[in-house]
Amino acid sequence: MEQNKEMTAQESLALISETMNNSRKDILRRSGKYFLLWGSLLTFFSLLVFILWETTGHPQWNFLWFLMPVVGYLAAHLLGKGDAGLPDNMLTKLFSGIWSAYGVFAVAVSVLTIVFIQFRADPLGTIVLGAGLTAQLVLLFGLAETICGVALRSWPVIVGGILVGVGGLAVYYILELGAAQMLIFTVAGVLLALTGVLIKNQR
């Protein structure tokens, strides 16, 4: 009787493990098009802000970034039509929580930076605060992507996250302050889109 119970417990664990692995693969397979979507949007908006900022000299064009989630969520909704839907389990809730946390932190950091800039009298302090926002956002983004990659056991996502976060921060230290920092997000967007291509081509 005890041996039968032990085998039943082992079989249950094996079944749970197999179910989670299948769910992980399913989520990863369906995530490719969303990596492509957000990578393309990130590339487009970063180039748009860079060109407008560079040609006019006005960093206020950064407010265009707030349009990206609106366009992105609408496009993601349209892309998701016809899908069977992801399984409602621990993994999907984990990924939803990770990216929701990133969104909250990104918006909070952006708003706080904008607010505190208004109280700076010195132009240099304003520039430093605004430029520092880029470094914080790219690091947070890379961290969120890397964590998702670890949970999915996907090397393309892990490496992409590290390149975006750590690589983006390194490029930020090399570039001069100003509109050029937007190109960090351009590179991040391209890497994100390439990650999507790699995921879609995986069997």
Side-chain angles (χ1 to χ4, degrees):
M1 181 69 72
E2 289 181 3
Q3 186 176 3
N4 288 337
K5 286 183 179 179
E6 185 178 346
M7 289 298 294
T8 302
Q10 288 176 352
E11 289 171 358
S12 297
L13 288 173
L15 180 61
I16 292 170
S17 179
E18 183 182 357
T19 302
M20 293 299 289
N21 283 331
N22 290 337
S23 178
R24 186 181 289 110
K25 290 176 183 176
D26 189 32
I27 292 169
L28 184 61
R29 179 179 56 82
R30 298 189 192 199
S31 295
K33 60 184 178 182
Y34 296 107
F35 274 87
L36 272 169
L37 168 65
W38 288 103
S40 301
L41 286 175
L42 188 56
T43 303
F44 171 77
F45 274 90
S46 60
L47 285 174
L48 179 63
V49 173
F50 167 70
I51 292 169
L52 292 173
W53 186 354
E54 183 73 13
T55 54
T56 66
H58 298 301
Q60 287 82 0
W61 288 109
N62 277 286
F63 283 106
L64 286 172
W65 283 111
F66 289 103
L67 282 176
M68 189 176 119
V70 176
V71 175
Y73 283 117
L74 178 61
H77 175 71
L78 294 174
L79 268 180
K81 281 189 174 180
D83 277 357
L86 292 174
D88 185 18
N89 58 29
M90 183 184 69
L91 279 176
T92 52
K93 290 176 181 176
L94 173 64
F95 299 137
S96 176
I98 290 170
W99 288 109
S100 295
Y102 168 75
V104 170
F105 272 81
V107 171
V109 168
S110 301
V111 171
L112 283 172
T113 301
I114 293 169
V115 169
F116 279 103
I117 280 177
Q118 309 307 314
F119 295 100
R120 296 298 299 241
D122 57 314
L124 181 60
T126 299
I127 292 172
V128 170
L129 271 178
L133 176 61
T134 299
Q136 294 174 64
L137 291 178
V138 77
L139 191 59
L140 284 171
F141 187 90
L143 179 62
E145 185 180 348
T146 303
I147 292 171
C148 284
V150 171
L152 285 170
R153 297 179 185 173
S154 170
W155 279 108
V157 180
I158 294 171
V159 173
I162 292 172
L163 287 175
V164 168
V166 179
L169 194 61
V171 173
Y172 166 80
Y173 289 136
I174 296 170
L175 289 176
E176 296 180 0
L177 299 179
Q181 64 190 280
M182 291 298 103
L183 297 178
I184 297 172
F185 293 114
T186 305
V187 174
V190 171
L191 286 172
L192 199 62
L194 287 175
T195 303
V197 172
L198 287 173
I199 290 173
K200 286 175 69 68
N201 289 333
Q202 281 184 336
R203 294 183 183 260

